[in-house]
Amino acid sequence: MPGEEPDLLRPGARSLAGGRALHAAHERFLSTGTVTGVRAVVADSWRRSLRSGVDPERPSPPVALTDADLRSYRSEHPLQHALPVVRGLLLDAAVTEGFLVALTDADGRLLWVAGDARVRRAVEGVGFVEGAAWDEAHAGTNAPGTALATGHDVQVFGAEHFTRAVQPWSCTAAVLRDPAGRALGALDVTGRDAAASALMLSLVRATAAAVEADLRARVLARGPGPAGGTGWPGPSVVAGWPVGGPAAPTTARLEVLRPGSGVLHTPGAPARDLSLRHAELLLLLAEHPRGLHADELAVLLHPDAMSDVAVRAEVSRLRRVAGPLVDRSRPYRLADPLGTDVAGVREALVAGDVRAALDRYAGPVLPRSRAPGVEQVRDALASDVRAAVLHATDPVVLERWLDREEGGEDWQAWERLVAVTPPGSAAHARAAGRLDLLVRRLGAGPARHPWR
């Protein structure tokens, strides 16, 4: 989370990973119990690992779920729905880039592990296998286990791992939460140094946000279950771990993809046009169901960061508009899930329905907003929609994108339309002509294209 950045990504932390200074700090801790020269999140985790009795020389995370029990548990676990999102955003790249992608449950048990086959075979030797318990109490300091222990996104660089056998590896993990804010598990990427880079942290966070948005959309689409239940699939009884909870989903909905500053729809009340700041706040809270502290909101709301006092004042004014939708807890969070048109677009993309995604994608997210957190959502959604369009073989999808302001000069989309339309057709001729025009506009002279 933003408030944890100085500790998670302290300058120089990566350069120490696998180096003599960090190894020396690890040896000093094991021999004297004194921790110096490491990040606080690592020092605290080492102490917890030692208290739990983890052997730094011989890691032996127990395989808590095997064969039929593992299959049954996974089939009932809500994170089964995360697999298409994770596959599309992380796993396809991981296979070619030398990474593993893993999903755990809330107790740190590895439910799914996939990615580069060579890396997978290598880490099997330290017990990183499906069904194994990789919480701190069994495996020591590691990204998914420490993320679940702290409730924050975590990166662990090489020798920051508590057990020596795991120190050749680095990892990045984010906690995955259900729409009520309860931890469902963790998303982890494991590999060499690049697996704990700043870019990987951004990718893991973006994927975690997409997974949580998809889960919220599924709850809202399913509606209240029997006797006012959550709408989750039936509760799991494997290992006594229940899924879901007593809170019923809300039908409140936020629109931020249409002209204006955003519209809030709540049951039994007329739609309300929101100020730009209130729309920004609600969108950010919907995108971060685990909650945001005042300092985190300050960074996400203003390019130069706002004061905590200003953030508290804005949230107070938002509560007068949104009523009980905004919880009074700290960190700030929504009292109930809030559906958004952004999540609706993501849901269609996850389902592979690009036409539906374009139907729902009415335009950029809050185009007048300059809030860094909103810009991230805006850019990510536009990128995801465009990527889906560029992979489409349906000329109608491509033409609909190209007819939009965002797509009018999208060179790659025009090239794609040329590729999927028969020569001599009106769509083919139009696309080839537009490409000629774009080339001349760029000053490259008359274009001679292979499709002419």
Side-chain angles (χ1 to χ4, degrees):
M1 299 177 72
E4 295 290 310
E5 289 288 279
D7 192 41
L8 291 178
L9 294 175
R10 178 172 57 83
R14 186 179 177 190
S15 65
L16 291 175
R20 288 178 296 177
L22 188 52
H23 280 287
H26 186 258
E27 294 299 324
R28 187 165 51 251
F29 171 71
L30 294 180
S31 59
T32 69
T34 302
V35 189
T36 58
V38 300
R39 299 176 294 144
V41 67
V42 174
D44 292 342
S45 179
W46 282 0
R47 295 186 186 101
R48 289 193 297 268
S49 302
L50 188 64
R51 288 197 300 268
S52 298
V54 177
D55 187 342
E57 304 296 339
R58 292 180 293 277
S60 55
V63 177
L65 296 166
T66 59
D67 300 333
D69 285 342
L70 176 61
R71 290 193 297 271
S72 175
Y73 186 43
R74 293 193 303 195
S75 71
E76 296 178 343
H77 200 284
L79 286 183
Q80 65 176 304
H81 302 299
L83 296 179
V85 181
V86 174
R87 184 179 299 114
L89 296 179
L90 272 182
L91 184 56
D92 290 345
V95 172
T96 60
E97 297 297 329
F99 300 121
L100 286 184
V101 178
L103 285 170
T104 80
D105 68 3
D107 294 324
R109 293 173 291 198
L110 296 173
L111 300 183
W112 291 274
V113 179
D116 185 278
R118 290 170 299 176
V119 176
R120 185 169 185 173
R121 286 193 296 270
V123 298
E124 284 176 353
V126 297
F128 198 84
V129 296
E130 291 179 346
W134 272 75
D135 57 315
E136 282 188 342
H138 291 99
T141 305
N142 69 92
T146 303
L148 289 167
T150 62
H152 296 298
D153 308 335
V154 168
Q155 292 185 297
V156 177
F157 302 87
E160 291 178 330
H161 287 92
F162 182 74
T163 60
R164 289 190 176 92
V166 188
Q167 290 180 351
W169 306 98
S170 295
C171 44
T172 296
V175 180
L176 299 173
R177 299 182 183 276
D178 70 12
R182 295 176 291 257
L184 289 174
L187 169 66
D188 171 71
V189 172
T190 291
R192 298 301 184 181
D193 284 355
S197 66
L199 174 60
M200 186 58 72
L201 180 65
S202 297
L203 290 173
V204 169
R205 281 177 168 167
T207 305
V211 167
E212 292 176 342
D214 179 60
L215 292 175
R216 292 196 299 275
R218 289 177 182 276
V219 170
L220 292 169
R222 189 173 291 114
T230 62
W232 282 112
S236 168
V237 296
V238 178
W241 191 80
V243 174
T250 180
T251 54
R253 181 172 175 79
L254 175 66
E255 292 183 357
V256 292
L257 296 177
R258 301 187 183 280
S261 298
V263 179
L264 178 63
H265 302 268
T266 52
R272 280 168 285 182
D273 292 327
L274 300 171
S275 69
L276 181 58
R277 181 63 80 207
H278 286 165
E280 291 170 340
L281 275 167
L282 280 179
L283 176 62
L284 291 172
L285 292 175
E287 290 286 306
H288 296 82
R290 67 194 71 184
L292 292 166
H293 293 283
D295 59 338
E296 296 170 328
L297 272 173
V299 172
L300 295 173
L301 282 171
H302 198 279
D304 300 318
M306 302 166 61
S307 70
D308 290 2
V309 173
V311 170
R312 287 193 290 270
E314 290 288 0
V315 174
S316 178
R317 285 190 283 269
L318 174 62
R319 286 195 181 109
R320 291 198 289 271
V321 172
L325 183 60
V326 181
D327 205 334
R328 294 191 174 276
S329 63
R330 298 290 189 279
Y332 298 115
R333 61 168 59 96
L334 297 173
D336 292 294
L338 173 65
T340 69
D341 45 5
V342 171
V345 175
R346 291 184 184 132
E347 181 183 6
L349 291 174
V350 168
D353 192 342
V354 186
R355 286 198 184 193
L358 285 175
D359 287 340
R360 299 175 187 182
Y361 184 63
V365 176
L366 294 176
R368 293 194 294 112
S369 173
R370 295 298 174 264
V374 173
E375 289 181 334
Q376 291 172 11
V377 176
R378 180 194 304 146
D379 293 346
L381 188 66
S383 176
D384 290 347
V385 171
R386 180 176 180 271
V389 169
L390 291 180
H391 281 84
T393 58
D394 183 352
V396 173
V397 167
L398 286 156
E399 289 186 293
R400 286 178 58 188
W401 172 253
L402 291 164
D403 286 338
R404 293 168 177 255
E405 183 177 352
E406 287 177 270
E409 298 193 357
D410 189 333
W411 180 283
Q412 288 179 287
W414 286 113
E415 286 188 320
R416 181 66 172 162
L417 184 59
V418 166
V420 301
T421 51
S425 67
H428 187 91
R430 177 192 178 209
R434 182 59 64 91
L435 282 169
D436 283 340
L437 178 62
L438 290 175
V439 168
R440 290 196 298 273
R441 187 178 298 167
L442 291 171
R448 292 182 180 177
H449 303 302
W451 54 79
R452 299 297 284 174

